[in-house]
Amino acid sequence: MASTPSTDHTTLSSTPQDTLVLRMDKAARALLAAGTTEADTQTELQTLCLPITALWCRILRFDPAVPNWPDRDRCVVPSSAMMPLLSAMLHLTAPDTQDLSATVDYGQHPAVEIATGPAGQGMAAAAGMALAEQQLAKRYGRSLVNHRTWVLARDSDLATGVALEAAQLASRFGLNRMAVLVCPSPLTDPTDFSDSLARFGASGWSVRKVRAHDLGAIMSALQAIMRARKPTLLACMPECCHTLPDLPAEEELTGPWSPTARRGASIRRSWLRRLAQHRARADFEREQAGKPRQTMREDWGRLWRQAMRAAPNGSSQQAAFAGLGALALLRQDLAILAATSSTRSSRRANLPIPFSHSAQPCGIQEHGMAGMLNGMARHGGILPCGVAGMMTIDRMRSALRMTALMRSKVLYLLTDDGLALSDNGGGWQPVEQLASLRAMPHLAVFRPACAEETFACWQAALNWPQGPALLILCPNPPPPRSGASRRAGHYGGPSHGGYLASCGAGARHVTLMASGPEVAIATQAGQHLSEQGLNVAVVSIPCWEVFAQQPPAYRAAVLGSEGLRVGIEAASSFGWERWLGADGIFVGMDDFGISAPANAVYERFGITAGAICEKVLARFLASGAQKDSSPTAPSSSRLEDLDMSLTITRL
C-alpha cells in the first residue's frame, strides 16, 4: 500500500546546525550519562540518542500535555535497557510529568505504550499497532487516523523468531507506517547484525543504514521513511572518536512551552477540529472507549441462532465460529487474525468458516500473530481476536503472558480441543496445557461442552474485565440430551463459570464435575449411578476463573457440601484439588497421548462412563456405604453412544 504523506508531520530540512535538535541531544546525553546503566548499554543509548532526539524534535506526533490522544504516533520501547532514552525525551518535553530518577514502567505514564518483556515481543506488538492504524484508517479516513508506529529496538530483538514472524506479517499486510530504529550492541558480532538486517530485507522490508552522529543523514533517512512503501528498518551505525560540538549556554528549551511541545499541541488541536466535523465522530469515540452498541447483545443472540440453524453440527467449535461471524457483523472494531492451524479440522470436516471473509490470514506464524494481537489491543479502537489450533498455544504462550500482564482485552478461539486429533499422535493431544493456562493471572479459560454453553461463554469472555479470554473448542458434536434430563435439578448457568446441570432430590451421594466434551461422559456415568440407587449431581465448570468469583453461597449450591466429588477432564489433574477437596477422585490423563482413534484414547486413560462408575462404586463399597447393594458397571465402556469418534471428519 502506498504511503500517504501526513499533512501534520513537520519534516523541515535539517542540517548539523539545527540548534534545537543538538541542544536537546546534548541535554539527553547528559541525562543518560547520569544514569546507572551498564557500560555496554550506555554505549547503545549514546549511539541512538541523536536519532531519537531528531525523531522527537522534528517528526513524532506527540503532545506532552495530552500524551494519550488517539492519533498520536506510537513510540514502542520493548526493552528496559532502552527505557532511559524514552525517559529523557519525556523529561525534555515535559519535565513536570516525569521523574527521571524513577524507573519508567508500563502503567506509570501514558507514553509507555507496552510493558517490557522478552526480546522480540515489542517488535510484534508494534506490528499489531501498525495493523490497527491501517484498519482504522480504512474505516475513518486519513483525516482522523494518520499516525505512525516507531520502535526503539535492540539488536537482540531482531534475532528472535517472533520478531521475524512479525516482520513477515508486517510486509504481507503492507504496514508501511511502521519503522524500527536499532543500533548494534558492542557485544554483538558485526556478522550477526548484518545477517539480521539481511533477514528483514528478505522479508520485504526497506533496510537503511545511517551514521548515528550525522544529523543531516539522520533527517534525510527519517524523511525517506515518511515516503516509504514498505515497513522500514533504520540501522544507526556508531562512529569512533565522535565528539559533540561545543554549544553555547542558552535559554532552557524544555518544558511544555518548548518548540517540540508547541508543535505537538498544534497538531492535536488541528486533529480535534477535524474530529468535531467528522460524520462518524460518535462511532469513533465509542470504539475508542471500547463500548458496544446498546442493542448489540440482543442482535448478537438473534444472528447466532440464525447461523446455528444452518450449522451442519452442534459442536462447540461450530457454535463459536457462528458467534464470531455474528459478532463481526455487529462490531466494526472487531479484528480477526487466523492461523492455518485453526481451520485444519474445519476443512477436513467440510465445515464452513463464517468469519473467513473478515479474517487476516497469518499462516503458521502463531507466535508473531499473538504478539500482534497485543499491539492491536494496546493501540485502542480495536477488539482483537485470534483463531488458532489448541496445541499451538505453546508457541503463543510468551505473547499471551504479556497480554495478561498488561490486562489487555484480547479474545482467542483455540480449535481442535481434547483428543479430537488422536490419529495424529500424542504430540497433538494436550496434557498440561489447560493447567498451565489456568495458572496464568488475569486470563479466563473457557471450555464449553455444547453449543448453548459456547454462546454463553462467548458473552462471558467478552465481559471478562481483567484481561484476555480463551475459548477452547472441540470440533466433534456432543451427544443429544433430552430437555427433561437436562433441566432436572438445573441451577445457575454457564455465564457463572460453573453450574448444576442435573441433580436428583435429597442428599447427594456423588457430584460429577467436568468441562468440555467430558460433560457428556459425566452425564452418562451419572445416569448409570442413579440406576444403582445413588443420588448423583452433574456439574459443568466451563470457566474456573469466573466460577471462583461467584459468591460462596452460589459455589456451595453448585458443588454441594456432602458426598463424593469426582473431577473428569481429558487433561492433567493439576489444579483440580481446588474443587475436589482432599477426598475427591480425578479421572483424566496422567501421561502423553497415543496415536489412535478418539474412542481408544479415552479408553486408554479410563475416561469412560464405565471406568468412572467402577471407581465411584469401588469407593462406596470400600467405605461400607453400599454393602447391601450389588453394583455393576455398564456393560460397555466404549463411547459410541457419546458420538465422540472422529466419524464427523469423514462426512
Side-chain angles (χ1 to χ4, degrees), residues 375-603:
M376 298 174 76
R378 292 307 312 154
H379 179 278
I382 293 289
L383 176 62
C385 179
V387 189
M390 169 61 180
M391 284 307 299
T392 61
I393 193 63
D394 288 332
R395 297 192 62 237
M396 298 185 287
R397 190 177 304 276
S398 180
L400 180 60
R401 187 174 186 272
M402 293 296 297
T403 310
L405 185 149
M406 294 185 291
R407 302 195 182 193
S408 299
K409 190 64 180 180
V410 178
L411 302 174
Y412 282 89
L413 300 186
L414 301 182
T415 64
D416 298 326
D417 171 37
L419 303 180
L421 294 178
S422 298
D423 287 329
N424 287 352
W428 287 92
Q429 298 165 27
V431 181
E432 78 285 359
Q433 280 76 13
L434 281 173
S436 61
L437 289 172
R438 287 166 176 160
M440 191 176 295
H442 313 310
L443 172 66
V445 181
F446 295 86
R447 192 170 184 252
C450 58
E452 293 79 7
E453 273 195 21
T454 302
F455 188 65
C457 289
W458 243 126
Q459 294 175 319
L462 203 59
N463 295 328
W464 175 248
Q466 298 186 24
L470 297 169
L471 270 72
I472 301 178
L473 310 165
C474 180
N476 296 332
R481 291 185 293 172
S482 64
S485 63
R486 183 172 66 248
R487 298 299 302 180
H490 189 88
Y491 178 73
S495 60
H496 294 83
Y499 67 102
L500 190 61
S502 64
C503 184
R508 294 190 198 180
H509 296 119
V510 183
T511 300
L512 302 177
M513 299 177 286
S515 72
E518 289 75 61
V519 173
I521 301 175
T523 301
Q524 186 182 27
Q527 292 173 352
H528 180 76
L529 291 173
S530 297
E531 296 172 358
Q532 301 297 315
L534 297 177
N535 185 12
V536 181
V538 177
V539 174
S540 175
I541 311 181
C543 182
W544 291 15
E545 294 77 19
V546 174
F547 187 57
Q549 291 187 349
Q550 302 305 312
Y554 176 84
R555 296 200 304 270
V558 171
L559 299 178
S561 57
E562 55 187 357
L564 175 66
R565 294 184 180 181
V566 181
I568 307 166
E569 194 169 64
S572 168
S573 64
F574 193 86
W576 268 95
E577 63 276 1
R578 181 179 190 179
W579 313 117
L580 296 177
D583 299 326
I585 299 175
F586 180 78
V587 179
M589 299 176 68
D590 56 2
D591 203 346
F592 294 100
I594 58 175
S595 299
N599 288 350
V601 180
Y602 272 90
E603 291 178 16

